[in-house]
Amino acid sequence: MPDHSQPSAPATQIVYPVTTRAFGLAIIVLSGLQLMVVLDGTVANLALAPLQADLGLSDAGRNWVLTSYALAFGGLMLLGGRLGDAFGRKRMFLGGVVVFTVASLLCGLAVNETTLIAARALQGVGAAVASPTAFALVATTFAPGPVRNQAIAIYAAMTGVGSIAGLIIGGALTQVSWRWIFLINVPIGIIIAILAIVSLEESRSFRLALDFPGAILGTLGCTGVVLALSEGTELGWLSPVVVGSLIGGLVLLGLFLVVERRADNPLLPFSLFADKNRVATFVAIFFAGGVMFCLAAFVALFVQDILGYSPLSAGLAFVPFAFGLGAAAFITSQLVVRIQPRWLVMTGAVIMFGWLLVAVTTMDADSSYFPGIFFPVIGIGFGVGMASIPLPLCAIAGVPATEIGPLTAIALVAQTLGGPVALAIVGALVTSRTLSLGGTTGPATLMNDVQLDALSSGYMFALFCCAILAGIAGISAFFIRFTPRQVAQAQAAQEDAQSA
């Protein structure tokens, strides 16, 4: 019997702009944005002490320089990725770069606490749009296979390069003026935008239902809670501002959960949390992110305010941390397919906990860099590396390829939001500790010896709090039951998703 059916139309062939070699204008643009975002997160820690002295920031205001950026970045990151899908990734990438660049200019020109914090929040908004769309553009710009693998390797390397370079470049720029750590982004951002127009092609857009209410409610809810925790020690815990912010934040977070349950395309699909192992993974990621965020801030403040390090010296003092983290990451990446991941995470948490206690009991105003600071810094970095490698793989273990992207994004959001929440709590505890010992708040340059001793004790208490956070991350990891085989499959699935 003859077949009279119509021949099927040929499948639309995807044309990739880059098919021969990865290195070129496109990867310079995309990896340059990643480098700029990572640099900005690193260098701000080194500028906290000069910023507080120059603008007369309160301790809570000083912490908000970091927190406002992280809250906007983490809270809006999922929405930023969806915007690229809905309106075109090149268009939204350019928009994010422009917002980030303008906000950097406003940061560099800030005249007081309010203008700086507002500009930092705007920076976070720009990064939340540009960063996820940049990674998505790697997939649509570079052809699958060796070319895309090279592009992903270059893009990923910018995180490591930015972390170390940020310590050195940021320290050097801060010694000239803290304003330059923000102003340097302006010419870089302009160059990235111009090259993006020339080298990137627009991706196909999909008209998706965007969860704007969820993104706004979640971000404002977290902001309200963090504001209450940050200002409690200075305004009083029964202050109308503190109580109102806490109640308002909790109400907004409650509404966020309601919206997410009813949204057509929710930012936070609750089905992804059905697995108890994955919930334990996200909890561990959240607290591990809190350790990193607080540690970077308070160690940078300690070596500058108490030991009198210059910003550049403070940046160089952190470099061994990166080497410890890198060494542990290399070792753990080999072990994670042989040993149950929870034992690796718990071992890393124990190493962090131990070295943080060593730092608390040995570091003071008379500490020398070697061995007093060097060994704790490199030891803590090793613990962080051992704990951090298995967790992202646990987040995507045992799921189909279609869920790898959303789960990876949620893990990144959990890590990013863990920082400001932890900093708000630890910062409040540090201020209370400092005041209880006869200290005061404000720039260290205006303090006498007694007040500096109290401040030093407060900073060491911050490291003790970081040890507690590391312990909670380790305890959470105990409930992660994924096997080495599942993690190995997740590792392979992640590589397939990146090269598809």
Side-chain angles (χ1 to χ4, degrees), residues 31-398:
S31 61
L33 181 279
Q34 176 69 1
L35 178 63
M36 187 166 65
V37 171
V38 173
L39 276 171
D40 204 75
T42 305
V43 299
N45 289 295
L46 300 174
L48 290 179
L51 264 170
Q52 187 172 25
D54 191 16
L55 296 183
L57 304 180
S58 63
D59 286 355
R62 178 193 64 195
N63 293 340
W64 272 101
V65 173
L66 303 178
T67 299
S68 57
Y69 177 84
L71 279 174
F73 188 16
L76 299 175
M77 189 185 302
L78 294 176
L79 179 63
R82 301 278 176 86
L83 287 173
D85 295 335
F87 299 107
R89 289 166 184 153
K90 177 180 177 179
R91 184 178 295 112
M92 297 313 301
F93 174 81
L94 284 169
V97 171
V98 169
V99 171
F100 188 91
T101 303
V102 171
S104 296
L105 177 63
L106 296 176
C107 286
L109 300 177
V111 295
N112 55 36
E113 182 175 306
T114 302
T115 56
L116 178 60
I117 292 172
R120 283 287 284 168
L122 187 61
Q123 261 192 323
V125 173
V129 175
S131 186
T133 50
F135 188 73
L137 279 166
V138 172
T140 59
T141 301
F142 299 91
V147 174
R148 185 182 294 174
N149 293 340
Q150 292 169 9
I152 290 174
I154 295 171
Y155 183 89
M158 289 303 101
T159 300
V161 171
S163 299
I164 298 177
L167 297 172
I168 300 172
I169 297 173
L173 290 174
T174 303
Q175 284 197 199
V176 178
S177 171
W178 62 263
R179 297 182 185 276
W180 277 107
I181 68 170
F182 301 118
L183 294 176
I184 193 67
N185 290 332
V186 177
I188 297 175
I190 292 173
I191 292 172
I192 288 176
I194 293 173
L195 294 181
I197 294 172
V198 174
S199 64
L200 299 179
E201 294 187 15
E202 186 57 273
S203 64
R204 180 183 175 187
S205 59
F206 303 90
R207 291 298 174 181
L208 304 172
L210 295 174
D211 187 13
F212 282 107
I216 294 170
L217 287 171
T219 304
L220 291 180
C222 288
T223 302
V225 173
V226 170
L227 177 62
L229 295 172
S230 299
E231 299 292 342
T233 53
E234 297 196 14
L235 300 179
W237 293 105
L238 297 179
S239 163
V241 172
V242 174
V243 174
S245 296
L246 181 60
I247 294 175
L250 293 175
V251 169
L252 289 172
L253 289 176
L255 291 174
F256 166 75
L257 295 177
V258 173
V259 167
E260 293 306 282
R261 284 192 176 278
R262 299 178 178 178
D264 293 332
N265 189 24
L267 293 177
L268 194 66
F270 285 94
S271 60
L272 299 179
F273 295 89
D275 190 334
K276 294 180 180 179
N277 292 319
R278 217 167 318 280
V279 173
T281 299
F282 289 135
V283 172
I285 289 173
F286 182 87
F287 282 100
V291 173
M292 288 284 291
F293 204 79
C294 293
L295 188 66
F298 286 109
V299 172
L301 287 168
F302 173 80
V303 297
Q304 291 181 82
D305 287 345
I306 307 302
L307 300 184
Y309 282 28
S310 67
L312 178 58
S313 297
L316 292 172
F318 273 104
V319 170
F321 178 91
F323 286 108
L325 189 152
F330 176 78
I331 295 170
T332 306
S333 64
Q334 310 301 314
L335 296 177
V336 75
V337 295
R338 298 180 176 89
I339 299 175
Q340 203 167 9
R342 62 172 174 163
W343 300 120
L344 294 172
V345 178
M346 290 171 66
T347 300
V350 169
I351 292 172
M352 280 191 282
F353 185 88
W355 277 110
L356 282 164
L357 290 186
V358 169
V360 170
T361 55
T362 60
M363 287 170 55
D364 55 31
D366 298 320
S367 295
S368 59
Y369 180 72
F370 192 90
I373 298 176
F374 176 82
F375 284 115
V377 165
I378 199 170
I380 295 168
F382 191 90
V384 169
M386 179 163 282
S388 62
I389 291 300
L391 289 174
L393 294 173
C394 289
I396 62 173

